Amino acid sequence: MGFPGLELKTRMTLVASADTRVFVPVRLYYKDTDPYAVQFSFDVTPDKVVRWTFARELLDQGLTAPAGIGDVKITPIGPHQNRRLSIELESPYGYARLEGPAASVKAWLAKTFEVVPAGQESEFVDIDSFLDELLTR
């Protein structure tokens, strides 16, 4: 049996407009079989879940300074002791900005680095299985 993964379930605020903010359930997930990435999802409605996968390093950088260009941007908000996190997601299908507590994300992310230390991700990638899967499609 392999590593089951690390999950963080929390609530963030979906910023729909300057006047409209909605609490949404958010899930972050990490698995050592995809060591460079984190999976991020949030419930827009009970029947609609938005899922994104982006670099673990991007999330780590975004906890302390604005990070990301393109589809995913992560920015710390507020003073260090009450730091919050802004995650902006953009695609041809839409745009979303979520804000939430940085401390819980930081603690969860630290656990991912205990499982797969920074700089050692390549040791966890099974290139042969990846190529087999790619070539059998």
Side-chain angles (χ1 to χ4, degrees):
M1 185 155 120
F3 171 70
L6 292 170
E7 181 178 55
L8 172 65
K9 290 182 179 179
T10 188
R11 286 186 352 149
M12 295 184 91
T13 304
L14 176 62
V15 181
S17 70
D19 300 333
T20 307
R21 295 171 174 260
V22 180
F23 284 111
V24 294
V26 170
R27 178 180 179 255
L28 286 105
Y29 191 75
Y30 181 79
K31 196 151 169 85
D32 65 354
T33 55
D34 191 4
Y36 292 101
V38 295
Q39 297 166 9
F40 178 86
S41 64
F42 62 96
D43 298 351
V44 178
T45 68
D47 298 328
K48 180 166 169 99
V49 177
V50 175
R51 291 181 176 84
W52 283 77
T53 301
F54 51 85
R56 177 174 72 154
E57 182 179 16
L58 174 66
L59 184 58
D60 188 39
Q61 291 171 352
L63 284 167
T64 56
I69 55 174
D71 297 348
V72 180
K73 296 177 186 84
I74 302 174
T75 308
I77 303 170
H80 188 69
Q81 65 273 17
N82 294 319
R83 179 138 306 157
R84 297 181 54 74
L85 195 59
S86 169
I87 300 176
E88 294 180 74
L89 307 167
E90 188 170 6
S91 79
Y93 306 105
Y95 170 84
R97 185 173 68 131
L98 295 107
E99 294 179 0
S104 58
V105 173
K106 183 177 181 177
W108 172 82
L109 192 60
K111 291 177 187 175
T112 74
F113 285 113
E114 290 173 11
V115 173
V116 178
Q120 295 181 18
E121 293 90 350
S122 64
E123 296 173 25
F124 290 80
V125 176
D126 185 352
I127 296 295
D128 292 332
S129 293
F130 174 74
L131 289 174
D132 287 344
E133 182 181 326
L134 190 62
L135 295 173
T136 58
R137 287 186 185 182

